[in-house]
Amino acid sequence: MLNLLNQATAPTWDDPIEMLYACHGKVKKFCGQLHLLPDYIAQHGCNAAAQEAITQISTYFNRAAPLHHADEELDFFPLLSKYCPEAQMVIDELEAQHIDLHKNWDTLHTQLQETLAGVRVAPDMQIIQNFTMAYDEHIPKEEQLFELGKTHIPPNELGEIGKIMAARRVG
């Protein structure tokens, strides 16, 4: 979205598909930080900057990512399936991937917490790669469905699920 001054504005729940895209932007940002973390810690130790990064990454993947997946599974995917039933096979695949993404996060989160506690020097790069590669595969498939949603789902129904998604974050 752009405002009159040509400055980017943040999406709102009035446009839930853009909010889903925005979540993916955050996932990509935090995955990029995860890749940098072991080298950073090797050079600087688990200093305040590393601790803050770990805390922000953990907060996102513990809170926002599960909400994002709920938005998709409870609201967006069923609505897309209603208007674009041929997407169901991909929806089923993505929902199964959500389970694996959460399992991968649980493993990585344990290592991040151990790093904060001084039990481990840094998270294992292979664990980080497993986690981020799964998202690298997952996100493009979802974004294809977001585009289908823009084409097939009536705007008033998108607005309704946007309200539900916003309410999910209040309750």
Side-chain angles (χ1 to χ4, degrees), residues 3 18 21 77 95 111 138 148 169:
N3 63 19
E18 287 305 313
Y21 271 116
F77 290 162
E95 288 179 341
Q111 290 197 358
H138 183 78
L148 285 175
R169 281 143 182 85

Side-chain angles (χ1 to χ4, degrees), residues 56-111:
Q56 289 176 353
I57 291 164
S58 295
T59 298
Y60 184 81
F61 286 106
N62 283 331
R63 293 186 187 147
L67 288 171
H68 172 82
H69 292 165
D71 292 338
E72 292 168 338
E73 293 176 4
L74 300 176
D75 304 308
F76 178 73
F77 290 162
L79 194 55
L80 179 63
S81 183
K82 174 181 172 183
Y83 288 100
C84 191
E86 62 272 18
Q88 189 61 53
M89 199 162 72
V90 176
I91 290 169
D92 293 343
E93 177 185 351
L94 291 169
E95 288 179 341
Q97 287 177 1
H98 284 170
I99 294 166
D100 292 335
L101 290 167
H102 290 284
K103 287 179 186 175
N104 288 344
W105 170 246
D106 289 343
T107 301
L108 178 55
H109 184 249
T110 297
Q111 290 197 358

